[in-house]
Amino acid sequence: PMAAQVATKEQQNRHVRLCQEDKTICDNRVVTSHYTMLTFVPQNLMEQFKKPANLYFLFLMCLQMIPEVTVTGQIPTISLPLVTVICMNALKDALEDWRRHKSDREENERQVLSLNGKSLQPRRWCDLHVGSLVVVRQNEYVPADLVLLSTSHKEGHVYIETANLDGETNLKTKMAPTTLFKLVGQHDTMEQATQAASMLDMTCECELPNEFLYTFAGNIKVSSPDQQISVDEQHMVLRGCKIKNITWCLGVVVYSGKETKIMMNSKKQKGRKISHLEHDVGRLTLLVFSIQIVLCLIAAIASAIFETSEENLKKKYLNLTDANGNARNAFLVLVIRFFNFVLLFSNFIPISLIVSMSFAKLAQIFFFYADNDMIYQGIHCMPRTSDLNEELGQVEYVFSDKTGTLTCNVMDFRKFCVRGVTYGQGMTEIKRQVMMKMGKTVEEPPPEEPEAKRTPHVDLVDPRIDELLKDHLDPHYADVKDFLFHLAVNHEVVPEFDTKGVMSGYSASSPDEAALCYGAQHFGFSFLGRDSKGLSVSHDGQVTKVDILATIKFNSTRKRSSVIARFEEAGKERLVLFTKGADTIILQRLAPEHKSSVETRQSMETLREFAEDGLRTLCLASRELTKDEVDSFLEKWNEASMATQNREQKMDEVSEMLEVNLVMNGITGIEDRLQDDVSDTIMKMTQAGIKVWMLTGDKTETAINIGVATGLLAAEPKALERPMFSTENFEKGGAFQAQELQTKLREVAEQARQAYQQKRMFEGMVIDGKCLELALEPHNQKDFVAICRNCSTVICCRVSPKQKGAVVRLIKQEEKAITLAIGDGANDCNMIMSADVGIGIRGLEGLQAFNVSDYGISQFRFLQYIMLVHGRWCYRRIAILANYMFYKNFVCVLPQYFLGAVSGFSGQKLYNDILYQFYNVCFTFVPIMVFAVLDQDVPKKASLKYPELYIAGKERMYMNVQVSLGWIASGVWHGLVCFFIPYLVMSNGNITHEDGKANDIWLVGSVVFFLVCLVTNLSVLLETCYLNWIVALGMSLSLLAWVLFQGYISGLHGVVVTSEFYGSMQRLLGCPMIYLIVLTSTAMALMADIHAKGIKCSFFPSILHQVQAKVLAEAAPAPDPEPRTGRLAEPGPASNESGGPGLRLWGKALASQAAKLEGISPVEPRLGPVRFT
């Protein structure tokens, strides 16, 4: 036999020879790590120096080593903090990559049985190649993508669990191709099957590796006997699947290693999502850099003028001339001094800004995970990134799926309709909610009969059905029987069996299919199981063997599924096509005489009623086939199934010709109940100023009723306040009137623009998929967005996954809004990845949405916690952190600038280089990090009780030009105070010590530097709303760090580090005047901030101040000593409803002034339309 051949770029397929491993194709080794021991240092450094900030500080380090411009004696002191920051990032990257290496090693070292020579031997996964013959045993994972050849099952079936691929734990059935299974033979042992398969001269021709999990096309050519066998995804098991319920299966590797479908799907998304606040920080960095350049240029010009003026040149003690006694070139002096000042003022841009934000956000996500209020059935909130924490506090639009997101995705067979007759009593939960919102009387559901038959996922009560099925002479009996038989035959459900071999239930990829199958079972039509030819159904004590001649699967284009069944009934063989699908699809394929029949019209009216009840509907139809029709179809079908290119399209074209002239069997109604607290969550988000949209594939009537039940829509809309764009309103004679829709769109858009100017909002808009497709066209987008802008909500029905993503991207682009998308299924992935923040619900539809999301939760109601609580907290914390980082560097750098102003801008330093370079990473790092991780302005309950607090993030109240300039102005004032009070008291010959010695510049600089550290750390306390021992510890550690570093450079340990600072610590601590300077300067610096906050709180209170007043006024129980989360609890108001001593700092002013100004009592504050200040 020839070796396996790889398809070249010119070829369209891959050719694999059985038992002939092709080592020119990649092996089965998996590598998800980014680095190796050799590449880590160069590659990581290259990645880190792609960041502009790191390049900027590297440039400064190079400047420090140039003799003409250095201010550090050519010692690159900035390398200390730069190396620290780079090492911290490198350590984080190394730890993450070490985990990847560990995971890769565990994966690659797994063992599987593979044919080696003439026997099966254990082999590592990484040693497999394309063409390897592999045996996978029960409960083992599949090592590569395999085409099945044989199994221990007598029909060649394999049951697999695909949780690693899509998160679904229900079993799916795969099978060896029937013809191939017969060639290999049915064997009792895997050794016999392996030997039989290895004797075949077989070539598998298949498509090139791709990422599509649910498609595969190929042909197997067997030379003896000469046969060609079609294979598809039903005959393939993918890497990562687990084999269940059979002893072993045998397969040949067709895709290995990085070419397996699971690995091709695990490629990372291009680029990472960057929050809007990070963009704001980038712009603030450019602003500060511009200020720095201007200040350096002013200082350089002043220095050049000073050093080249004739008057100063005459003062020989200034040493302003060159070695020959001549004046230096003014321009050269300007350039040198400019770079001198660039080095002196380099800390205007905080070197630790990015790493501080990254570590703060990394620590924040622990509290997302540990929040007990976001745990459901043992599933925690799972942050998959920390980059977007603050983005959760600024969301303006929420785009939500319906099924599995707003609803439970637990389907119950509730009602059905056959020939216009409806079966099933009672009112659905959604209908009940709608009627209550409309103020109508809702009858209590009838009591459940104690002896009533109970079947999982069936909630259908109607005594008429049992009576009808007993009376075979009833005129409706045959129709209902055909309907229930259809339910039991047309599906892909797999029966599950317990350890004793007794059937315990059904497993299906879709909960709808399982509910329908349970519904048939409930009324006596039980699906028993499958074999290679078809399936078995029991009814009235008899088992009917149904041969499935062809299965035409559901896809998003067809929106229907069909089977061709052959079975005997009353001694006569029947050939029947069973088809089920969406009503719009089935109605088009009915026979002409049935389209307009009375029964069909009644059924369509019933379908509308089902939709209004919030039920998920499905139409069932069938037709009798002749043997000639079936033979002709199967010939064309088999020919299409042999194609390796465009196989699905060709098979769809063949099926289109068969699925015509159908007869309606009936309509099903499946109930999917709302999740807990959905309505309350949506109401809170609406109060927070967030627009919630629903994008669903359901019918218009169902979506509207879900909208009413959840509170998105009013039960009884006012005229002209709910624009409706439904396809049926724009169809005439079966043709869609696109021009009429465009005209209506423009008219409504003009009304919306006028209403928007009048500040009058529409209640909401409802639009279906076909109308949306036209609205999303470029020439209609402006009108569509104008309507959306003036709507409190928008409900899009019958939309495709592609349309969901397009809507999200359009609103992002046109409204410049921060968007969030939430969903639970594969059809939601597009919009989740398109939104600024993607939330995946870990539900019953698998992990597809969860795997592409930024944050994972298990219930829709947790959205209020992740946005209104944690998101809002994180936005405030990170915004204040970013502004504070620039503020504290202004406070530190400006005293050096002021020193230049009083010394002719000579370039003289004020601080010791060691202290100066560790300012950001040691002396001011801990307090702000504690704040950024733990601080809470109000308790969790208050955040949920007053959703209006969220508006601060939505309107970016904590991070904008005005606020940032306010922080910079505060930094300027604090810098002035911290420099000039010590300078005026201690310099110019003023004596502060008892020994009568004058103070040098380094002692003054030490006092100034201590004041800078003290004032900036105390400024954090002024922003803190909850004081606790961790805050106190952080402050103490920062001051202790200063004491230790100052003591070290002062030589307290007996070694001279720098002669200028030797003994400075003793002089600082031994002078009462310095204590007075520190107290006076600190009080004077912070007094302005305290008064500004007091005035704002007393005379211009925001809603935040009012809520804080309310919290303080309420009687609060003692803090619970036990942590709320069961581990390290997040300290703060989450467990202390009084808000803590930080809030009490302003307690009286908040409670009395807010009450006085708003005309309310401190106990019940009225939260009026007060904006954040």
Side-chain angles (χ1 to χ4, degrees), residues 13 55 102 182 219 241 336 338 410 424 436-437 547 587 681 731 751 935 1038 1107:
N13 299 316
L55 280 177
K102 184 179 178 183
K182 291 178 179 178
N219 294 315
C241 296
I336 292 174
F338 174 78
V410 177
M436 286 192 293
K437 289 182 182 291
D547 293 336
L587 197 60
T681 301
E731 282 185 340
Q751 294 171 8
D935 194 58
S1038 291
V1107 173

Side-chain angles (χ1 to χ4, degrees), residues 381 455 892:
C381 171
T455 304
C892 183

